[in-house]
Amino acid sequence: MPFPFVSHAAAMHRPVRQIERADQIVDVRAPESWTDVQIEAWLDWGDGQGLVWNSDDPLADMATAYGQHLCPAEASVLAATLLLGLASPARATGCTDGVIDLSEPGAARCLQREAAFRRADRLAAGAVEAAAAALENVADAVARCEGPRADCADPGTNPALARAALAARRSGAADADIIRAIQGERFDVALHPLEPSPPRLAIGDRAMIASGAPPALTAAEAALDGDLVLTFDPQSAEAISEAGRAPAVLLSLPALAQLAGTGFEDALRDLVCLWTAALEDRGTSLVSIGMGGLADWVLAGAPEPDAAHADHLARIVSAGANRTALFVNDVEADLRLGLTGLSAVEVWQTADGGTARRLRPALAAAIERAGGDVEAAERRLFGRRTLVDAPGVDHTTLRSLGFTDVELEGVECALAQADRLGDVFRSPVLDAGFVRDVLGLEAADDLLPQLGFSIDDIARAEAWAFGHGDLAGWGGAPANLQAILAEPMAFEAAVRARLEAVSAVPDTAPTCIDWRTTPAQAARLLSDAARDGRRAVRLKRAAPPGGSLLDLAEPDPAARPRRWEPEARAVERVVERIVERDRTRRKLPDRRKGYIQKAAVGGHKVYIHTGEYEDGELGEIFIDMHKEGAAFRSLMNNFAIAISIGLQYGVPLEEFVDAFIFTRFEPAGTVTGNDSIKSATSILDYIFRELGVSYLDRHELANAEPDPLNGNGLGALEGDGEAPEAVPAARFISKGFARGAAPDNLVVLPFGQKRETQAAAPVATEAVACPSCGDFSLQQRGVGWICDTCGAAPSMQG
């Protein structure tokens, strides 16, 4: 009697789940054990097949429609196997673009051309995004310029635009697109997803490949930058080509074993016969039936965890058809059935929709059946998430260093979310005041080495808290499982290798290699496969790790203009050099000098407090605006803290000055109380003008002459050739800071200001309107013009 797939499907509980699609929320009835990812994969497959669903049960509608299309007589049974998660249609595994014979003269050129095409596809996405980003920078360089429109759009007078345009050209953007970006056109791009191309098939002489002859290197180079399946005999090449046209289905052996129980083998025969009858007579005598989860079944269902048990199942599957391929390499079909490669750690979906890690159920069943401790295996994998009784770094040691229950509680809470101790013993988990006052450390990051813990102590404590991530070297592993637990993927490869003798088509699953593998190393791997008697081999580079892989310093332009000058024709001169900057925080002295500047911007009082290092370099600022609202005052205080931290980590003050001058927002306007700055376009514009003048000698940022009534900054009046008088040093040296170290009779000899003054008498001019703000407050300063209201410096040619 055939296995009752239909009755099992009808009796299965399938609660309603809400799945978010591209533009709607879909109610789907699915088994409780299915994850949201599985359901979405089934819905995507149905959309790709053009299957229509109209009821409140989309999966049942699609399964029934597919069964009707495949075999109307068995439509209900086929649909039941899909809904039970026992089977999934799959893409054919093979090559359909012909065979390349490596012994032919043009084979190397053909493979190089194919590799070049695939390499171009791989690089295209990044190149398009880089060019689009560079063009966006061109448009931003024009939009952020505050001068006349014609000058802002001219790379000759706008250095920022010149740099952005040159970078865009280097990124591959055409000059026509750069001109469009200058005119304001935006370049938002969206890339089409690349469809995976089928691998190319090549045949080589086994002896030549095994000896490392030139054809081996040719095939290795094509395999690394393309996708190549290398075979060693015509029969295997022909079988792989035919498999590319054969219908395919993937079976889930773990799901069938859970459903059928002791009747697993009979249920497997019925399942194979059902799908073989539905897939045969479709243009080829070959049928591809993949045995998904075979390694899991061997571990959890076989009498002993031995790869040889796969032989029996392979004979059962192959007996259902004249010619059967037992390998189906379809990642999407694996996803629909919830199958993953064999590893110790499995990610699963919790009841509330979140994700968590656990020991793979098949490995847990094998450990338990062999008499091992499953909980000890989980501790080995995931750790204990506590430092209680931890080796190297434990609560007792931490208490001796000054940690109290408050800090230890924070550490224990952070252990549940972190993956390394360095992310736990740092701010904000530990309060900065505790780190400074109790531990006596200034840097609040990576504290354990600073507290005297060795690398070995930290490594042992991390293993205790976070686990090892694998079961290799686990002392509690049962004897018959030690090799499997140490290398689960090697065991899975051994199980697949047992199917080669039965399958009509060789295994073309890719062998994953390191992303840095060179052609010479890949050639050695091909030679090893040829010597081992493999029927086919396919190499694939692993995906490189995300993020930046190189620590590259930004080039430091030697002649970078300090601000935009409309009158001058800027000539780009870039000198590239590697700059190694110290990334540690430079500590300010506990007792430090500085100054306080009181001023008013647009009627709003602003107090700037500075703190300096021993050499006079600026190390911190404080900004006080006492009569502003609490929100604005707090924002400015925290902004000052951010600037101070940047200065202490080595960010040049010049970078901050260039970034924040000419920013526009209220309050703005006339500045009183500062003898160098008469107007500002915002609070930040005033603050960084003041810092630039005082610490960087950036006197071009000063837009006011010192008031003669207030003296030249040293208390001496400038008038009618009178000799300036000496100034007591007490005016510049804080008596409290010096603590009496400066004698009372110390004086400072007056000195001239650094900027040159015009010898000619001032010429009266009529008021001129500013082209930026419209006020009649444009004044000539030397050979240039400065607006006293907004601070703009427009060109006044003609």
Side-chain angles (χ1 to χ4, degrees), residues 555-792:
D556 187 15
R560 179 179 178 183
R562 295 187 181 276
R563 71 182 181 100
W564 178 71
E565 293 286 349
E567 302 85 13
R569 301 290 295 185
V571 179
E572 179 107 352
R573 175 171 173 255
V574 179
V575 178
E576 293 186 355
R577 62 179 179 178
I578 298 176
V579 180
E580 293 290 343
R581 288 191 174 96
D582 188 3
R583 298 178 182 270
T584 59
R585 189 172 180 177
R586 184 183 175 190
K587 183 180 179 181
L588 278 163
D590 293 335
R591 187 177 183 86
R592 44 191 175 265
K593 59 184 183 297
Y595 72 90
I596 302 175
Q597 171 69 58
K598 174 186 175 182
V601 179
H604 296 256
K605 289 184 180 179
V606 183
Y607 293 83
I608 303 176
H609 304 244
T610 68
E612 303 174 2
Y613 292 100
E614 292 89 341
D615 58 1
E617 184 179 348
L618 180 65
E620 67 179 357
I621 64 170
F622 296 95
I623 304 170
D624 292 328
M625 300 184 70
H626 295 292
K627 294 186 178 181
E628 303 300 324
F632 188 79
R633 188 166 62 247
S634 299
L635 183 64
M636 295 302 295
N637 289 340
N638 285 278
F639 174 80
I641 293 173
I643 296 297
S644 301
I645 293 175
L647 293 171
Q648 293 164 26
Y649 272 102
V651 179
L653 174 60
E654 180 177 332
E655 295 293 332
F656 288 125
V657 172
D658 290 341
F660 293 109
I661 58 173
F662 299 118
T663 53
R664 291 177 177 273
F665 57 86
E666 295 295 332
T670 304
V671 177
T672 58
N674 191 306
D675 64 351
S676 296
I677 302 169
K678 189 175 182 181
S679 63
T681 59
S682 67
I683 293 291
L684 296 187
D685 178 57
Y686 160 71
I687 291 171
F688 287 95
R689 282 177 183 270
E690 163 62 27
L691 296 178
V693 171
S694 300
Y695 286 97
L696 300 177
D697 293 333
R698 293 278 295 272
H699 294 292
E700 76 275 11
L701 299 179
N703 52 21
E705 297 293 337
D707 189 349
L709 297 179
N710 292 332
N712 62 3
L714 293 176
L717 297 177
E718 298 177 338
D720 299 335
E722 296 181 4
E725 299 178 355
V727 181
R731 179 169 179 180
F732 305 102
I733 301 177
S734 170
K735 185 175 182 180
F737 179 83
R739 289 179 172 170
D744 295 337
N745 59 351
L746 184 66
V747 297
V748 176
L749 296 177
F751 50 87
Q753 294 194 348
K754 293 185 178 181
R755 53 175 180 246
E756 298 178 358
T757 60
Q758 298 293 324
V763 179
T765 60
E766 62 180 359
V768 180
C770 174
S772 296
C773 65
D775 286 357
F776 286 89
S777 55
L778 202 63
Q779 300 290 333
Q780 186 171 10
R781 308 290 186 196
V783 297
W785 294 79
I786 298 293
C787 177
D788 290 340
T789 299
C790 66

Side-chain angles (χ1 to χ4, degrees), residues 465-487:
F466 305 118
H468 295 77
D470 57 49
L471 295 176
W474 176 37
N480 63 335
L481 293 178
Q482 288 180 355
I484 299 174
L485 297 178
E487 296 186 43

